Each structure stands twice: as C-alpha cells, then as structure tokens.
Amino acid sequence: TLYQFTFFQNPDWSRFVAPAKEIKDYLMTFAKEYDLYRHIQFDTRVKSAVWKEDEGMWKVVTGKGMLKCKILISACGALHKPTLPNIEGIDSFKGESFHSTNWDHGVSLEGKR
C-alpha cells in the first residue's frame, strides 16, 4: 500500500490507494502505538524556526510561546489556505459549494459530476 511505514504495516487496507479516512486512522493508530502525541503540538502557528548549530536543536517561536526541539516537522499541508477560483457568479451560486480543505461530508455527491 502506498501510505504506510515498512515497520508498521497494515494488512487491512481496503485498496492500494486508500481513502483519506483510512490513512488518517492508520496514522492516528501509529501515533498512539509509538506514544507520539506527547511530542506533537497541533493548531500551533509557527512564527520562526532557527536551527541552533551549537546546541544541535531548533529554537521555535510559536503563537503559544518558545520551545526547543531536536526534530521539527512542518505539517501545514499544501491546502491550508484555500484559494477560490475567480468565476463570475461564484458568490451568488445557490447550490452546495466548498473548497476541498473545508470538505462538507454531509453533502451527498451521488449523481453529481
């Protein structure tokens, strides 16, 4: 399967390119198994991150304060700031409309193209 670690394999994927929910569930299980949540800060805006060579650590200034760490992973995602297309009439469209970053799972897409 495309989305898994070789040392933490999931034999129960529904298909080769698994749906987003399966991938998310896999990653959450992985994080719990390896006790990673205590090292993760979610919903935290990073203002700056500077590698301190003499300390061998990152100095990270966030909206919640300053921290130091040996490993820094940026997980902001490519679509964290949605940009809507410039389409005439988009503001007055009466149907369901949403950007993929704000997916509305309550909207049925059956019969839609």
Side-chain angles (χ1 to χ4, degrees):
T1 297
L2 194 58
Y3 305 104
Q4 69 180 343
F5 298 109
T6 56
F7 57 90
F8 192 76
Q9 295 194 9
N10 175 11
D12 300 320
W13 294 110
S14 64
R15 55 186 193 247
F16 182 74
V17 180
K21 184 180 181 326
E22 275 186 58
I23 296 167
K24 180 181 178 184
D25 290 347
Y26 166 80
L27 291 172
M28 291 174 69
T29 301
F30 175 81
K32 288 176 190 170
E33 178 74 22
Y34 286 89
D35 193 28
L36 298 178
Y37 281 105
R38 65 190 175 100
H39 300 291
I40 299 172
Q41 289 192 22
F42 294 101
D43 299 317
T44 303
R45 180 175 299 274
V46 174
K47 295 180 178 181
S48 68
V50 178
W51 176 252
K52 307 300 276 184
E53 186 69 38
D54 58 325
E55 298 177 48
M57 301 192 72
W58 288 94
K59 178 182 175 186
V60 184
V61 178
T62 74
K64 298 177 181 178
M66 195 276 291
L67 60 97
K68 290 184 178 181
C69 57
K70 292 180 181 180
I71 299 169
L72 175 64
I73 300 171
S74 173
C76 61
L79 301 175
H80 70 288
K81 292 184 179 177
T83 302
L84 297 176
N86 185 13
I87 299 173
E88 187 176 334
I90 195 170
D91 294 332
S92 60
F93 179 70
K94 302 284 188 230
E96 298 289 347
S97 176
F98 47 87
H99 191 278
S100 58
T101 60
N102 300 314
W103 195 268
D104 184 348
H105 293 278
V107 175
S108 172
L109 301 179
E110 190 170 328
K112 305 282 196 255
R113 299 192 292 152

Short mmCIF file of all heavy atoms in Angstrom, two decimals, residues 24-72:
data_model
loop_
_atom_site.label_atom_id
_atom_site.label_comp_id
_atom_site.label_asym_id
_atom_site.label_seq_id
_atom_site.Cartn_x
_atom_site.Cartn_y
_atom_site.Cartn_z
N LYS A 24 -5.87 8.46 7.68
CA LYS A 24 -5.88 9.19 8.94
C LYS A 24 -5.95 8.22 10.13
O LYS A 24 -5.21 8.36 11.10
CB LYS A 24 -7.07 10.16 8.99
CG LYS A 24 -7.14 10.96 10.27
CD LYS A 24 -8.33 11.89 10.28
CE LYS A 24 -8.41 12.63 11.60
NZ LYS A 24 -9.61 13.47 11.69
N ASP A 25 -6.83 7.23 10.05
CA ASP A 25 -6.95 6.25 11.13
C ASP A 25 -5.63 5.50 11.34
O ASP A 25 -5.21 5.25 12.47
CB ASP A 25 -8.08 5.25 10.84
CG ASP A 25 -9.46 5.88 10.92
OD1 ASP A 25 -9.58 7.01 11.44
OD2 ASP A 25 -10.42 5.24 10.43
N TYR A 26 -4.97 5.13 10.24
CA TYR A 26 -3.69 4.44 10.31
C TYR A 26 -2.66 5.31 11.03
O TYR A 26 -1.94 4.86 11.93
CB TYR A 26 -3.21 4.09 8.90
CG TYR A 26 -1.75 3.67 8.83
CD1 TYR A 26 -1.36 2.38 9.18
CD2 TYR A 26 -0.78 4.58 8.44
CE1 TYR A 26 -0.02 2.01 9.12
CE2 TYR A 26 0.56 4.21 8.38
CZ TYR A 26 0.93 2.93 8.72
OH TYR A 26 2.26 2.56 8.67
N LEU A 27 -2.57 6.59 10.63
CA LEU A 27 -1.58 7.49 11.24
C LEU A 27 -1.90 7.76 12.72
O LEU A 27 -0.98 7.86 13.54
CB LEU A 27 -1.52 8.80 10.45
CG LEU A 27 -0.91 8.67 9.06
CD1 LEU A 27 -1.06 9.97 8.29
CD2 LEU A 27 0.54 8.23 9.13
N MET A 28 -3.17 7.83 13.06
CA MET A 28 -3.54 8.03 14.47
C MET A 28 -3.17 6.79 15.30
O MET A 28 -2.66 6.91 16.41
CB MET A 28 -5.03 8.35 14.59
CG MET A 28 -5.36 9.72 14.04
SD MET A 28 -7.13 10.08 13.99
CE MET A 28 -7.48 10.21 15.73
N THR A 29 -3.40 5.61 14.74
CA THR A 29 -3.02 4.36 15.42
C THR A 29 -1.51 4.30 15.60
O THR A 29 -1.00 3.94 16.66
CB THR A 29 -3.51 3.14 14.63
OG1 THR A 29 -4.93 3.21 14.50
CG2 THR A 29 -3.12 1.84 15.30
N PHE A 30 -0.78 4.69 14.54
CA PHE A 30 0.69 4.72 14.61
C PHE A 30 1.16 5.67 15.71
O PHE A 30 2.03 5.32 16.52
CB PHE A 30 1.24 5.16 13.24
CG PHE A 30 2.73 5.35 13.23
CD1 PHE A 30 3.58 4.27 13.11
CD2 PHE A 30 3.27 6.61 13.35
CE1 PHE A 30 4.95 4.44 13.10
CE2 PHE A 30 4.65 6.80 13.35
CZ PHE A 30 5.49 5.71 13.23
N ALA A 31 0.59 6.87 15.76
CA ALA A 31 0.98 7.86 16.77
C ALA A 31 0.71 7.36 18.18
O ALA A 31 1.52 7.58 19.09
CB ALA A 31 0.25 9.18 16.52
N LYS A 32 -0.41 6.67 18.38
CA LYS A 32 -0.71 6.11 19.70
C LYS A 32 0.26 4.99 20.06
O LYS A 32 0.78 4.92 21.17
CB LYS A 32 -2.15 5.59 19.74
CG LYS A 32 -3.18 6.69 19.77
CD LYS A 32 -4.59 6.11 19.72
CE LYS A 32 -5.60 7.21 19.51
NZ LYS A 32 -6.94 6.70 19.22
N GLU A 33 0.50 4.09 19.10
CA GLU A 33 1.39 2.94 19.32
C GLU A 33 2.79 3.38 19.73
O GLU A 33 3.43 2.77 20.57
CB GLU A 33 1.45 2.09 18.05
CG GLU A 33 2.36 0.90 18.12
CD GLU A 33 1.83 -0.24 18.96
OE1 GLU A 33 0.60 -0.32 19.16
OE2 GLU A 33 2.65 -1.06 19.42
N TYR A 34 3.28 4.44 19.12
CA TYR A 34 4.63 4.93 19.39
C TYR A 34 4.66 6.13 20.35
O TYR A 34 5.69 6.79 20.48
CB TYR A 34 5.36 5.25 18.07
CG TYR A 34 5.76 4.00 17.33
CD1 TYR A 34 4.88 3.40 16.44
CD2 TYR A 34 6.98 3.39 17.58
CE1 TYR A 34 5.23 2.23 15.77
CE2 TYR A 34 7.33 2.23 16.92
CZ TYR A 34 6.46 1.66 16.03
OH TYR A 34 6.81 0.49 15.38
N ASP A 35 3.55 6.38 21.02
CA ASP A 35 3.45 7.42 22.05
C ASP A 35 3.95 8.78 21.53
O ASP A 35 4.71 9.49 22.19
CB ASP A 35 4.24 7.00 23.29
CG ASP A 35 3.94 7.87 24.50
OD1 ASP A 35 2.82 8.43 24.58
OD2 ASP A 35 4.82 8.01 25.36
N LEU A 36 3.51 9.13 20.33
CA LEU A 36 3.98 10.37 19.70
C LEU A 36 3.17 11.61 20.08
O LEU A 36 3.67 12.72 19.96
CB LEU A 36 3.98 10.21 18.18
CG LEU A 36 4.90 9.13 17.63
CD1 LEU A 36 4.78 9.05 16.12
CD2 LEU A 36 6.33 9.38 18.05
N TYR A 37 1.94 11.42 20.52
CA TYR A 37 1.09 12.58 20.80
C TYR A 37 1.69 13.53 21.83
O TYR A 37 1.51 14.73 21.76
CB TYR A 37 -0.32 12.15 21.23
CG TYR A 37 -1.18 11.74 20.06
CD1 TYR A 37 -1.46 10.40 19.81
CD2 TYR A 37 -1.70 12.69 19.19
CE1 TYR A 37 -2.24 10.03 18.74
CE2 TYR A 37 -2.48 12.32 18.11
CZ TYR A 37 -2.75 10.99 17.89
OH TYR A 37 -3.51 10.62 16.82
N ARG A 38 2.46 13.01 22.77
CA ARG A 38 3.05 13.88 23.79
C ARG A 38 4.12 14.80 23.20
O ARG A 38 4.53 15.77 23.84
CB ARG A 38 3.60 13.06 24.95
CG ARG A 38 4.74 12.15 24.60
CD ARG A 38 5.06 11.20 25.76
NE ARG A 38 6.07 10.27 25.38
CZ ARG A 38 7.36 10.38 25.70
NH1 ARG A 38 7.77 11.40 26.42
NH2 ARG A 38 8.22 9.47 25.33
N HIS A 39 4.56 14.50 21.98
CA HIS A 39 5.59 15.30 21.32
C HIS A 39 5.02 16.24 20.25
O HIS A 39 5.77 16.97 19.63
CB HIS A 39 6.62 14.40 20.65
CG HIS A 39 7.32 13.48 21.59
ND1 HIS A 39 8.22 13.92 22.53
CD2 HIS A 39 7.23 12.13 21.75
CE1 HIS A 39 8.67 12.88 23.22
NE2 HIS A 39 8.08 11.79 22.77
N ILE A 40 3.72 16.19 20.05
CA ILE A 40 3.09 16.94 18.95
C ILE A 40 2.30 18.12 19.50
O ILE A 40 1.58 17.99 20.49
CB ILE A 40 2.14 16.02 18.15
CG1 ILE A 40 2.92 14.86 17.54
CG2 ILE A 40 1.42 16.81 17.05
CD1 ILE A 40 2.04 13.79 16.90
N GLN A 41 2.42 19.26 18.84
CA GLN A 41 1.60 20.43 19.15
C GLN A 41 0.73 20.73 17.94
O GLN A 41 1.24 21.15 16.90
CB GLN A 41 2.47 21.64 19.48
CG GLN A 41 3.17 21.53 20.80
CD GLN A 41 3.78 22.85 21.22
OE1 GLN A 41 3.37 23.92 20.79
NE2 GLN A 41 4.77 22.78 22.09
N PHE A 42 -0.56 20.50 18.07
CA PHE A 42 -1.50 20.75 16.99
C PHE A 42 -1.97 22.20 17.04
O PHE A 42 -1.89 22.86 18.08
CB PHE A 42 -2.71 19.81 17.09
CG PHE A 42 -2.37 18.36 16.88
CD1 PHE A 42 -2.22 17.50 17.95
CD2 PHE A 42 -2.20 17.87 15.60
CE1 PHE A 42 -1.92 16.17 17.76
CE2 PHE A 42 -1.88 16.54 15.39
CZ PHE A 42 -1.75 15.68 16.47
N ASP A 43 -2.49 22.68 15.94
CA ASP A 43 -3.08 24.03 15.87
C ASP A 43 -2.16 25.08 16.46
O ASP A 43 -2.57 25.90 17.28
CB ASP A 43 -4.45 24.06 16.57
CG ASP A 43 -5.43 23.10 15.92
OD1 ASP A 43 -5.47 23.06 14.68
OD2 ASP A 43 -6.15 22.40 16.65
N THR A 44 -0.91 25.03 16.07
CA THR A 44 0.09 25.95 16.59
C THR A 44 0.74 26.70 15.43
O THR A 44 1.34 26.10 14.55
CB THR A 44 1.18 25.19 17.38
OG1 THR A 44 0.54 24.45 18.43
CG2 THR A 44 2.19 26.14 17.99
N ARG A 45 0.61 28.01 15.45
CA ARG A 45 1.22 28.84 14.40
C ARG A 45 2.69 29.06 14.73
O ARG A 45 3.04 29.53 15.81
CB ARG A 45 0.52 30.18 14.31
CG ARG A 45 1.10 31.09 13.22
CD ARG A 45 0.32 32.36 13.05
NE ARG A 45 -1.04 32.09 12.65
CZ ARG A 45 -1.44 31.93 11.38
NH1 ARG A 45 -0.56 31.99 10.42
NH2 ARG A 45 -2.69 31.71 11.09
N VAL A 46 3.55 28.69 13.80
CA VAL A 46 4.99 28.88 13.96
C VAL A 46 5.36 30.26 13.40
O VAL A 46 5.10 30.55 12.24
CB VAL A 46 5.79 27.78 13.25
CG1 VAL A 46 7.28 28.08 13.31
CG2 VAL A 46 5.49 26.42 13.87
N LYS A 47 5.95 31.07 14.25
CA LYS A 47 6.38 32.41 13.83
C LYS A 47 7.79 32.38 13.26
O LYS A 47 8.12 33.09 12.32
CB LYS A 47 6.29 33.39 14.99
CG LYS A 47 4.86 33.60 15.47
CD LYS A 47 4.81 34.59 16.62
CE LYS A 47 3.38 34.84 17.05
NZ LYS A 47 3.30 35.81 18.14
N SER A 48 8.65 31.55 13.85
CA SER A 48 10.00 31.38 13.33
C SER A 48 10.57 30.06 13.83
O SER A 48 10.17 29.55 14.87
CB SER A 48 10.91 32.53 13.75
OG SER A 48 11.15 32.50 15.14
N ALA A 49 11.52 29.53 13.05
CA ALA A 49 12.23 28.32 13.44
C ALA A 49 13.67 28.48 12.98
O ALA A 49 13.93 28.68 11.80
CB ALA A 49 11.58 27.09 12.80
N VAL A 50 14.59 28.43 13.93
CA VAL A 50 16.00 28.64 13.64
C VAL A 50 16.80 27.45 14.17
O VAL A 50 16.66 27.07 15.33
CB VAL A 50 16.51 29.95 14.28
CG1 VAL A 50 18.00 30.15 14.03
CG2 VAL A 50 15.71 31.14 13.79
N TRP A 51 17.63 26.87 13.29
CA TRP A 51 18.50 25.77 13.71
C TRP A 51 19.69 26.35 14.47
O TRP A 51 20.40 27.19 13.96
CB TRP A 51 18.97 24.96 12.51
CG TRP A 51 19.94 23.88 12.87
CD1 TRP A 51 21.27 23.86 12.60
CD2 TRP A 51 19.66 22.66 13.58
NE1 TRP A 51 21.84 22.71 13.08
CE2 TRP A 51 20.88 21.95 13.69
CE3 TRP A 51 18.51 22.11 14.13
CZ2 TRP A 51 20.97 20.72 14.33
CZ3 TRP A 51 18.59 20.88 14.76
CH2 TRP A 51 19.81 20.20 14.86
N LYS A 52 19.88 25.91 15.72
CA LYS A 52 20.99 26.37 16.56
C LYS A 52 22.09 25.30 16.49
O LYS A 52 22.04 24.31 17.21
CB LYS A 52 20.53 26.61 18.00
CG LYS A 52 19.32 27.53 18.14
CD LYS A 52 19.57 28.90 17.57
CE LYS A 52 20.26 29.75 18.58
NZ LYS A 52 20.47 31.13 18.15
N GLU A 53 23.04 25.52 15.60
CA GLU A 53 24.10 24.53 15.34
C GLU A 53 24.86 24.17 16.62
O GLU A 53 25.12 23.00 16.88
CB GLU A 53 25.07 25.08 14.29
CG GLU A 53 26.12 24.09 13.84
CD GLU A 53 25.56 22.93 13.04
OE1 GLU A 53 24.65 23.14 12.23
OE2 GLU A 53 26.04 21.79 13.22
N ASP A 54 25.18 25.18 17.43
CA ASP A 54 25.96 24.94 18.65
C ASP A 54 25.22 24.08 19.67
O ASP A 54 25.83 23.40 20.48
CB ASP A 54 26.41 26.27 19.28
CG ASP A 54 25.25 27.19 19.62
OD1 ASP A 54 24.25 27.21 18.86
OD2 ASP A 54 25.33 27.89 20.65
N GLU A 55 23.88 24.11 19.63
CA GLU A 55 23.06 23.32 20.55
C GLU A 55 22.55 22.03 19.91
O GLU A 55 22.08 21.14 20.61
CB GLU A 55 21.86 24.14 21.03
CG GLU A 55 22.24 25.40 21.80
CD GLU A 55 21.01 26.20 22.19
OE1 GLU A 55 20.05 25.59 22.72
OE2 GLU A 55 21.00 27.43 21.96
N GLY A 56 22.60 21.97 18.59
CA GLY A 56 22.04 20.82 17.89
C GLY A 56 20.54 20.72 18.06
O GLY A 56 20.00 19.62 18.14
N MET A 57 19.89 21.89 18.11
CA MET A 57 18.44 21.93 18.33
C MET A 57 17.81 23.07 17.54
O MET A 57 18.49 24.03 17.16
CB MET A 57 18.13 22.11 19.82
CG MET A 57 18.68 21.01 20.70
SD MET A 57 18.03 21.03 22.37
CE MET A 57 16.38 20.48 22.15
N TRP A 58 16.51 22.93 17.34
CA TRP A 58 15.72 24.00 16.75
C TRP A 58 15.21 24.92 17.85
O TRP A 58 14.78 24.45 18.90
CB TRP A 58 14.51 23.44 16.02
CG TRP A 58 14.82 22.75 14.74
CD1 TRP A 58 15.03 21.41 14.56
CD2 TRP A 58 14.96 23.35 13.46
NE1 TRP A 58 15.29 21.15 13.24
CE2 TRP A 58 15.25 22.33 12.53
CE3 TRP A 58 14.86 24.67 12.99
CZ2 TRP A 58 15.44 22.58 11.19
CZ3 TRP A 58 15.04 24.91 11.65
CH2 TRP A 58 15.34 23.88 10.76
N LYS A 59 15.25 26.21 17.64
CA LYS A 59 14.59 27.17 18.50
C LYS A 59 13.36 27.62 17.73
O LYS A 59 13.46 28.21 16.65
CB LYS A 59 15.48 28.36 18.81
CG LYS A 59 14.79 29.40 19.68
CD LYS A 59 15.68 30.60 19.93
CE LYS A 59 14.90 31.66 20.70
NZ LYS A 59 15.67 32.89 20.83
N VAL A 60 12.19 27.32 18.27
CA VAL A 60 10.94 27.58 17.57
C VAL A 60 10.10 28.56 18.38
O VAL A 60 9.83 28.33 19.56
CB VAL A 60 10.14 26.27 17.37
CG1 VAL A 60 8.89 26.52 16.56
CG2 VAL A 60 11.01 25.21 16.71
N VAL A 61 9.71 29.65 17.75
CA VAL A 61 8.83 30.62 18.38
C VAL A 61 7.44 30.42 17.77
O VAL A 61 7.28 30.47 16.55
CB VAL A 61 9.32 32.07 18.15
CG1 VAL A 61 8.35 33.05 18.78
CG2 VAL A 61 10.72 32.25 18.72
N THR A 62 6.47 30.16 18.64
CA THR A 62 5.10 29.90 18.19
C THR A 62 4.16 30.93 18.80
O THR A 62 4.56 31.74 19.63
CB THR A 62 4.62 28.50 18.61
OG1 THR A 62 4.35 28.49 20.02
CG2 THR A 62 5.65 27.43 18.28
N GLY A 63 2.93 30.87 18.39
CA GLY A 63 1.90 31.72 18.97
C GLY A 63 1.61 31.35 20.42
O GLY A 63 0.95 32.09 21.14
N LYS A 64 2.13 30.22 20.87
CA LYS A 64 1.92 29.75 22.24
C LYS A 64 3.17 29.89 23.10
O LYS A 64 3.16 29.53 24.25
CB LYS A 64 1.47 28.28 22.23
CG LYS A 64 0.16 28.05 21.51
CD LYS A 64 -0.18 26.56 21.47
CE LYS A 64 -1.47 26.32 20.73
NZ LYS A 64 -1.78 24.88 20.63
N GLY A 65 4.25 30.39 22.51
CA GLY A 65 5.50 30.55 23.26
C GLY A 65 6.69 30.02 22.50
O GLY A 65 6.62 29.75 21.31
N MET A 66 7.80 29.83 23.22
CA MET A 66 9.04 29.37 22.60
C MET A 66 9.34 27.95 23.07
O MET A 66 9.03 27.59 24.20
CB MET A 66 10.20 30.30 23.01
CG MET A 66 11.46 30.14 22.18
SD MET A 66 12.57 28.82 22.66
CE MET A 66 13.21 29.41 24.20
N LEU A 67 9.92 27.16 22.18
CA LEU A 67 10.31 25.81 22.56
C LEU A 67 11.58 25.44 21.79
O LEU A 67 11.94 26.08 20.81
CB LEU A 67 9.20 24.80 22.27
CG LEU A 67 8.73 24.65 20.82
CD1 LEU A 67 9.40 23.48 20.15
CD2 LEU A 67 7.23 24.47 20.80
N LYS A 68 12.24 24.41 22.27
CA LYS A 68 13.41 23.86 21.58
C LYS A 68 13.15 22.39 21.33
O LYS A 68 12.52 21.71 22.14
CB LYS A 68 14.67 24.04 22.43
CG LYS A 68 15.12 25.48 22.54
CD LYS A 68 16.43 25.58 23.29
CE LYS A 68 16.89 27.03 23.36
NZ LYS A 68 18.18 27.14 24.06
N CYS A 69 13.64 21.92 20.18
CA CYS A 69 13.43 20.51 19.84
C CYS A 69 14.54 20.03 18.91
O CYS A 69 15.18 20.82 18.23
CB CYS A 69 12.07 20.32 19.18
SG CYS A 69 11.80 21.33 17.72
N LYS A 70 14.78 18.72 18.93
CA LYS A 70 15.78 18.12 18.05
C LYS A 70 15.20 17.83 16.67
O LYS A 70 15.92 17.82 15.68
CB LYS A 70 16.32 16.83 18.66
CG LYS A 70 17.14 17.05 19.91
CD LYS A 70 17.65 15.74 20.46
CE LYS A 70 18.45 15.97 21.72
NZ LYS A 70 18.96 14.71 22.28
N ILE A 71 13.91 17.58 16.63
CA ILE A 71 13.24 17.25 15.37
C ILE A 71 12.07 18.21 15.18
O ILE A 71 11.26 18.40 16.08
CB ILE A 71 12.73 15.80 15.38
CG1 ILE A 71 13.91 14.84 15.54
CG2 ILE A 71 11.95 15.49 14.11
CD1 ILE A 71 13.49 13.41 15.81
N LEU A 72 11.99 18.81 14.00
CA LEU A 72 10.90 19.73 13.66
C LEU A 72 10.28 19.27 12.35
O LEU A 72 10.97 19.15 11.34
CB LEU A 72 11.45 21.15 13.53
CG LEU A 72 10.46 22.22 13.06
CD1 LEU A 72 9.34 22.40 14.07
CD2 LEU A 72 11.19 23.54 12.82
#
